[in-house]
């Protein structure tokens, strides 16, 4: 299990996990739910690159099916930014259709960098913010970018995160325990040093219900998956029957990307 990150802010009581947003939030005010989510997503799936002089850029490239969240990032950003699309060959598809949000403004990049998104390779360096932030929204952003929500091949609800950051993995474990009461440990993959956090069964239902609340900013497909975790026991039995009879696709048969 990863060591406790002494620099990360401690978890407060459950009632303090979701601070009230300010009426008119400043750009990247992490106490505001939308900016906390956006920052978590950027830490997990964004890339901040330096350029010569004052040049540089922040980019996020995701599947075009999730382009709506990039449009929200553009709406939340009071600086010029752009969204482009492209189709290219990848290890998973000969024609992968992606969308990329690009932000070049120096002031905006400085603000995001100062909050804890490093330039260059950053997957092992990221940590939870050092300032006050909306915890569940931040973690939902991280999970939307690098995690999965759904049912296992046996029909069990699960919420998982794959991350190279021991600090982020350990923080999710602490948060999950505060919300569900169930202790979780992160396991490191010996081959590549990646950490995995997995919640299953009732703990997964409780955690998903806390993170994916009505009206929150999120990937719509994961919001839907989170809502489905709380289905009745009868409907879960039907899903098990559909899985066993081949009438429902198992998670391992789904396209890569969570």
């Amino acid at each position: 299990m990863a060591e406790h990150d002494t620099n990360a802010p401690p978890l407060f009581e459950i009632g303090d996990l979701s601070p009230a947003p300010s009426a008119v939030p400043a750009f990247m005010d992490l106490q505001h739910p939308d900016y906390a989510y956006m920052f978590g997503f950027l830490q997990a799936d964004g890339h901040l690159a330096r350029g010569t002089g004052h040049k540089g850029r922040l980019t996020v490239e995701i599947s075009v099916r999730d382009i709506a969240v990039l449009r929200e990032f553009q709406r939340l950003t009071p600086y010029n930014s752009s969204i482009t699309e492209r189709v290219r060959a990848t290890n998973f598809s000969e024609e992968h259709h992606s969308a990329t949000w690009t932000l070049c403004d120096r002031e905006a990049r400085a603000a995001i960098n100062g909050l804890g998104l490093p330039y260059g390779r950053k997957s092992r360096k990221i940590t939870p913010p050092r300032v006050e932030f909306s915890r569940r929204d931040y973690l939902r952003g991280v999970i939307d970018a690098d995690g999965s929500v759904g049912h296992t091949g046996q029909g069990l609800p699960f919420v998982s995160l794959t991350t190279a950051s021991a600090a982020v993995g350990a923080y999710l474990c602490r948060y999950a325990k505060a919300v569900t009461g169930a202790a979780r440990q992160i396991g490191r993959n010996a081959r590549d040093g990646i950490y995995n956090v997995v919640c299953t069964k009732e703990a997964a239902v409780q955690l998903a219900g806390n993170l994916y609340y009505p009206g929150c900013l999120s990937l719509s497909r994961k919001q839907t998956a989170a809502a489905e975790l709380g289905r009745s026991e009868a409907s879960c039995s039907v899903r098990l029957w559909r899985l066993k009879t081949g009438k429902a696709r198992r998670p391992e048969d789904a396209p890569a990307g969570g």
Side-chain angles (χ1 to χ4, degrees), residues 50-113:
R50 294 186 186 276
T52 58
H54 296 323
K55 295 181 180 180
R57 63 179 55 192
L58 168 66
T59 56
V60 182
E61 183 176 11
I62 58 178
S63 171
V64 75
R65 64 178 172 173
D66 297 323
I67 195 172
V69 79
L70 298 185
R71 291 176 177 144
E72 285 299 304
F73 292 171
Q74 190 173 45
R75 180 187 66 81
L76 289 165
T77 303
Y79 304 91
N80 290 332
S81 65
S82 63
I83 297 175
T84 57
E85 298 180 32
R86 66 171 175 167
V87 178
R88 60 189 175 90
T90 68
N91 292 335
F92 306 104
S93 172
E94 291 185 358
E95 294 186 346
H96 175 64
H97 191 177
S98 66
T100 301
W101 177 60
T102 302
L103 173 65
C104 296
D105 187 272
R106 183 186 180 194
E107 183 177 89
R109 288 186 287 112
I112 294 170
N113 174 247

Side-chain angles (χ1 to χ4, degrees), residues 3-17:
E3 295 182 358
H4 172 67
D5 179 7
T6 57
N7 293 318
L11 282 176
F12 294 164
E13 295 299 325
I14 294 297
D16 294 327
L17 292 178

